[in-house]
Amino acid sequence: MKIKLGIIGYGGMGKWHAENAPRAGVEIAAVCDINQVRQQEAVDGGHKTYKSAEELLKDQNVNTVILTVPNHLHKEMCIKAARAGKNVITEKPAAMTVAELDEMEAACREAGVFFTAHQNRRWDRDMLTVKKAYDEGLLGSIFTIESKLHSGNGYMHEWHIYKKYGGGMIYDWGVHLIDQILFMMPGVKVKSIYADVQNVLHEEVDDYFKILMKMENGIAVHIELSTYILEYQPRWLVGGDKGTMIVKNFACDGNIYRTGKMLEKLPPQITETEAGPTRQFAPVPPGGIVTEPLPVIQTDWVDFYRNVDDVLNNRAETKIKIPEVRRVLSVMEAVRKSAETGEAILFE
Amino acid sequence: MKIKLGIIGYGGMGKWHAENAPRAGVEIAAVCDINQVRQQEAVDGGHKTYKSAEELLKDQNVNTVILTVPNHLHKEMCIKAARAGKNVITEKPAAMTVAELDEMEAACREAGVFFTAHQNRRWDRDMLTVKKAYDEGLLGSIFTIESKLHSGNGYMHEWHIYKKYGGGMIYDWGVHLIDQILFMMPGVKVKSIYADVQNVLHEEVDDYFKILMKMENGIAVHIELSTYILEYQPRWLVGGDKGTMIVKNFACDGNIYRTGKMLEKLPPQITETEAGPTRQFAPVPPGGIVTEPLPVIQTDWVDFYRNVDDVLNNRAETKIKIPEVRRVLSVMEAVRKSAETGEAILFE
């Protein structure tokens, strides 16, 4: 069985799937959008084009749909597609709430169709570089993992600035950043969540968040995003008792840092620095800290669609399971609750 | 009345006060240490030297003492000094607990002597640069202040590695970093505190902490220290809705960053980056972010002793008040409690 994909919503991400999914052998069978300009764009792109999801779902040539509509429509479209017998891939966040997701999953189970979410950032090279350090103990025992995303672009765009469409950065990127951490540490419980969420430039939706998650394995995870921190801090900082890893950006500039003269006790002299007496925070002697290159990771996002193809042909299990998607949404709900109350949420 | 200082404990900080306090006109009247090597060092330094605090406290020429003994001895020494009629300056942390501080303050009040703590890092130029941004609104409305101190030196030294002496980095530097924030924002309540505290390299004492404090004014304060993060992150990051301030280090390297073409809405195109499709986190166009130099601050630590001198001569009130010191210790206790329980502490 070949994936014959119907794209529901021909905005930015709809177009992106139309261009990129064929790399995995996916056939773009049809496209729909309620907006006339986008309908014309789809026609111009050579796609079979419908004016509504309802029409597209009647197309017997379509066996799978990708939902690239605003977030508040995922539930409705998923249930309609399932009832029309289509397998469903939804853009992230899969749903606005855990409760919505449960309804969607029930509809797909009832219809006997496959259901997954496009958590494409499990294939990001920067995250996989950190995951390798975690899996292989490259930094010894890790005490902190910081995942940060800063932008100087300020404002969000289109429907993302409105609450009723599921806008805001927790929905847009928080879902990725949380998913990456839970994916990195399979089977590790989240003990406690504390979050600060703010609207810095936007009236309705969040555009800054800092989330601390204490994990069962002792690691304190720090997830942070801002659309308006203008000197970007490293995408990842990982601290272990045998070194520090910095991954500066998506392109994976960065290094592993280790102590050269490994961890000798300091002489008892006080060093005068620019700001008064300190031994601990005096400069390390020359050569005291050495760098190594980051490990090089091969990754290909298109494996997402290859996996969907394998699942539909009974060759593999899905890499993005609905219980995982549900857990991420649960964390997101805890984040909002913590931000509102000032309390930590004891989680799992 | 001239300050005639008795130095109780002639270790690193005792020697430092002996060298530096005279800049404010302080007379080093006497020194004591129970360690023979240090006694000899004091004699060699030309100081009148005693073998115990008890002997020094009998010296009628001493009117004020500085306590530069390990933290667990501050309470005992303070009470003895007060009862001997000496004004008391204690090194930080003033006490191991709030309860200890209350005993110390009561003893000083009863004896009618002046009591303060050497929170010298209220005169640090890096902190005062950030305080200027806060006071004068240089960054618009501030949403985050991050105060971080990283070291590659790893191990602590001497008594700081033992719990019973009041070792660990919360006592050594946490007390400064918390005090700086509360000093920066006078009158602003701390609503909620959440902390991760770890022993990365040390068996008994903390050498890593990350503290989030949600302030009544909406600012989320982040305080962090590690003795083993090898690529140091900026000493300060301040994010406001009109710019970002980075102060890299004690020497105040850094900049203010602002958007050049101020905050235009983005075009609806998706930008392909190294890690998949994103508009929000695509690079800002050239010239989109501009830098300004940091404001230049004049500061002199020796004003600490000048203020003590003014207080003792009824010319000023003390710059470091015991209720402030007590509040910092309360935050430190909340930090430990949060770290132990995984819960946030609703504070003021």
Side-chain angles (χ1 to χ4, degrees):
Chain A
M1 170 188 171
K2 182 186 172 85
I3 301 174
K4 297 188 174 182
L5 192 68
I7 297 176
I8 299 183
Y10 200 63
M13 286 309 297
K15 292 179 183 109
W16 191 83
H17 282 274
E19 278 175 33
N20 290 282
R23 282 177 52 212
V26 172
E27 176 185 327
I28 307 301
V31 165
C32 71
D33 204 294
I34 57 169
N35 177 292
Q36 287 192 357
V37 173
R38 286 175 176 171
Q39 288 163 11
Q40 190 57 49
E41 288 173 341
V43 170
D44 295 345
H47 299 299
K48 187 171 180 182
T49 304
Y50 295 103
K51 293 180 181 173
S52 72
E54 291 71 16
E55 289 176 32
L56 181 143
L57 290 173
K58 288 179 190 153
D59 188 328
Q60 293 305 311
N61 191 42
V62 171
N63 59 25
T64 304
V65 295
I66 171 84
L67 307 179
T68 45
V69 285
N71 298 335
H72 70 300
L73 296 172
H74 289 180
K75 185 185 98 170
E76 175 193 336
M77 293 294 170
C78 173
I79 293 171
K80 282 182 179 169
R83 288 179 182 162
K86 314 300 188 191
N87 300 301
V88 180
I89 306 166
T90 176
E91 261 302 334
K92 37 51 60 175
M96 303 274 280
T97 62
V98 171
E100 279 195 6
L101 185 75
D102 288 345
E103 283 188 66
M104 294 158 74
E105 189 188 21
C108 290
R109 198 185 316 116
E110 201 173 310
V113 298
F114 173 61
F115 178 35
T116 193
H118 184 238
Q119 291 291 162
N120 56 309
R121 291 187 182 277
R122 290 194 191 181
W123 283 268
D124 279 10
R125 194 148 64 95
D126 55 281
M127 181 275 290
L128 292 171
T129 304
V130 172
K131 182 166 168 54
K132 186 179 173 77
Y134 175 85
D135 289 342
E136 299 181 9
L138 301 183
L139 305 172
S141 176
I142 291 172
F143 57 96
T144 184
I145 297 183
E146 300 181 1
S147 167
K148 292 181 188 167
L149 203 46
H150 294 158
S151 162
N153 285 320
Y155 288 120
M156 288 179 246
H157 44 79
E158 300 173 7
W159 57 265
H160 287 281
I161 67 173
Y162 300 107
K163 195 166 184 175
K164 65 179 175 181
Y165 300 135
M169 276 291 153
I170 293 176
Y171 278 137
D172 194 27
W173 268 93
V175 65
H176 281 311
L177 301 180
I178 294 165
D179 181 69
Q180 287 184 329
I181 293 294
L182 301 184
F183 168 70
M184 191 183 294
M185 303 183 194
V188 180
K189 287 182 181 167
V190 180
K191 302 302 287 177
S192 167
I193 297 171
Y194 186 78
D196 178 48
V197 177
Q198 299 201 41
N199 303 9
V200 175
L201 296 174
H202 296 81
E203 278 175 33
E204 289 195 15
V205 297
D206 64 275
D207 52 15
Y208 172 78
F209 55 80
K210 182 177 291 189
I211 303 166
L212 290 196
M213 298 200 299
K214 292 190 189 179
M215 308 298 286
E216 193 185 22
N217 59 7
I219 297 177
V221 170
H222 169 146
I223 297 173
E224 176 180 323
L225 179 145
S226 172
T227 70
Y228 202 65
I229 284 181
L230 305 177
E231 173 72 347
Y232 307 165
Q233 301 303 299
R235 176 73 186 85
W236 296 90
L237 181 153
V238 188
D241 65 2
K242 297 281 184 286
T244 305
M245 175 182 276
I246 300 283
V247 184
K248 284 189 192 169
N249 46 32
F250 291 142
C252 294
D253 297 315
N255 282 105
I256 293 174
Y257 299 81
R258 299 195 197 277
T259 30
K261 291 179 69 176
M262 183 65 186
L263 288 180
E264 292 188 2
K265 287 197 182 180
L266 295 170
Q269 290 78 25
I270 287 180
T271 306
E272 282 293 332
T273 69
E274 287 279 342
T278 175
R279 278 172 281 201
Q280 197 68 48
F281 297 92
V284 171
I289 296 176
V290 296
T291 62
E292 296 173 15
L294 294 176
V296 175
I297 302 287
Q298 300 302 328
T299 180
D300 186 356
W301 155 83
V302 102
D303 284 344
F304 171 81
Y305 273 111
R306 291 188 187 118
N307 175 246
V308 173
D309 190 68
D310 285 344
V311 172
L312 296 180
N313 290 286
N314 301 308
R315 289 189 301 263
E317 65 172 0
T318 180
K319 291 198 173 176
I320 295 164
K321 298 175 181 63
I322 296 303
E324 296 167 349
V325 173
R326 191 177 194 281
R327 190 168 173 235
V328 173
L329 287 174
S330 298
V331 171
M332 288 159 67
E333 291 184 358
V335 163
R336 291 187 201 276
K337 190 174 164 194
S338 172
E340 280 163 22
T341 62
E343 303 204 39
I345 311 301
L346 300 181
F347 195 67
E348 287 173 333
Chain B
M1 172 187 172
K2 182 186 172 84
I3 300 175
K4 298 188 176 184
L5 192 68
I7 298 176
I8 298 183
Y10 200 62
M13 286 309 297
K15 292 178 182 112
W16 191 84
H17 282 275
E19 278 175 34
N20 290 282
R23 281 177 53 212
V26 172
E27 175 186 329
I28 308 300
V31 165
C32 71
D33 204 295
I34 57 171
N35 177 291
Q36 286 192 355
V37 173
R38 288 177 175 167
Q39 287 164 11
Q40 188 58 49
E41 288 172 341
V43 170
D44 294 346
H47 300 298
K48 187 171 180 183
T49 304
Y50 294 103
K51 294 180 181 175
S52 72
E54 290 72 16
E55 289 177 32
L56 181 142
L57 291 173
K58 287 179 191 154
D59 188 328
Q60 293 305 312
N61 191 41
V62 171
N63 58 26
T64 304
V65 295
I66 171 85
L67 306 180
T68 45
V69 284
N71 298 334
H72 70 302
L73 296 173
H74 289 179
K75 185 185 97 171
E76 175 194 335
M77 294 295 168
C78 173
I79 293 172
K80 282 183 180 170
R83 289 180 183 163
K86 314 299 188 192
N87 301 301
V88 180
I89 305 167
T90 175
E91 260 304 331
K92 32 53 63 178
M96 303 275 280
T97 62
V98 171
E100 279 195 5
L101 185 75
D102 288 345
E103 283 186 66
M104 294 157 75
E105 190 189 19
C108 290
R109 199 185 316 116
E110 202 172 310
V113 298
F114 174 61
F115 178 35
T116 193
H118 184 237
Q119 292 291 160
N120 55 309
R121 290 185 182 278
R122 291 194 189 180
W123 284 268
D124 279 10
R125 194 149 63 97
D126 55 281
M127 181 275 289
L128 291 171
T129 304
V130 171
K131 182 165 168 54
K132 186 178 173 77
Y134 174 85
D135 288 342
E136 299 181 9
L138 300 183
L139 306 171
S141 176
I142 291 173
F143 56 97
T144 184
I145 296 182
E146 300 181 0
S147 167
K148 292 181 188 165
L149 204 46
H150 294 157
S151 162
N153 285 320
Y155 290 118
M156 287 177 246
H157 45 82
E158 302 173 7
W159 57 265
H160 287 282
I161 67 173
Y162 300 108
K163 195 167 182 174
K164 66 178 173 182
Y165 302 133
M169 276 292 155
I170 293 176
Y171 279 137
D172 194 27
W173 267 93
V175 64
H176 281 311
L177 301 179
I178 294 165
D179 181 68
Q180 287 184 331
I181 293 293
L182 301 185
F183 167 71
M184 191 183 295
M185 303 183 194
V188 179
K189 287 182 182 166
V190 180
K191 301 303 287 178
S192 166
I193 298 172
Y194 186 77
D196 179 47
V197 177
Q198 300 201 41
N199 303 9
V200 174
L201 296 174
H202 296 80
E203 280 174 31
E204 289 194 15
V205 298
D206 64 275
D207 52 15
Y208 173 78
F209 55 80
K210 182 179 290 188
I211 303 165
L212 290 195
M213 297 200 301
K214 291 191 191 177
M215 308 298 286
E216 192 185 23
N217 59 7
I219 297 178
V221 170
H222 169 145
I223 297 174
E224 176 181 323
L225 178 145
S226 172
T227 69
Y228 202 66
I229 284 181
L230 305 178
E231 173 71 348
Y232 308 164
Q233 300 303 299
R235 175 73 186 85
W236 296 91
L237 182 154
V238 188
D241 66 2
K242 297 281 184 289
T244 304
M245 175 181 277
I246 300 281
V247 183
K248 285 189 191 169
N249 46 32
F250 291 141
C252 294
D253 298 315
N255 282 105
I256 292 174
Y257 298 82
R258 300 194 196 275
T259 32
K261 289 180 70 176
M262 183 65 186
L263 290 180
E264 292 190 1
K265 287 197 181 182
L266 295 170
Q269 291 79 24
I270 287 180
T271 305
E272 282 294 334
T273 67
E274 287 279 340
T278 175
R279 275 171 283 199
Q280 196 69 48
F281 297 93
V284 170
I289 296 176
V290 295
T291 63
E292 296 172 14
L294 293 176
V296 176
I297 302 287
Q298 301 301 329
T299 180
D300 186 354
W301 155 84
V302 103
D303 284 343
F304 171 80
Y305 273 110
R306 290 187 188 122
N307 175 244
V308 173
D309 190 68
D310 285 343
V311 172
L312 296 181
N313 290 287
N314 301 309
R315 288 190 299 263
E317 65 172 1
T318 180
K319 291 199 173 174
I320 295 165
K321 298 175 181 64
I322 295 303
E324 297 166 349
V325 173
R326 190 177 194 279
R327 188 167 173 233
V328 172
L329 286 174
S330 299
V331 171
M332 289 160 68
E333 291 184 358
V335 162
R336 292 188 201 275
K337 188 174 167 196
S338 172
E340 280 163 20
T341 61
E343 303 203 42
I345 311 302
L346 299 183
F347 195 69
E348 286 173 335

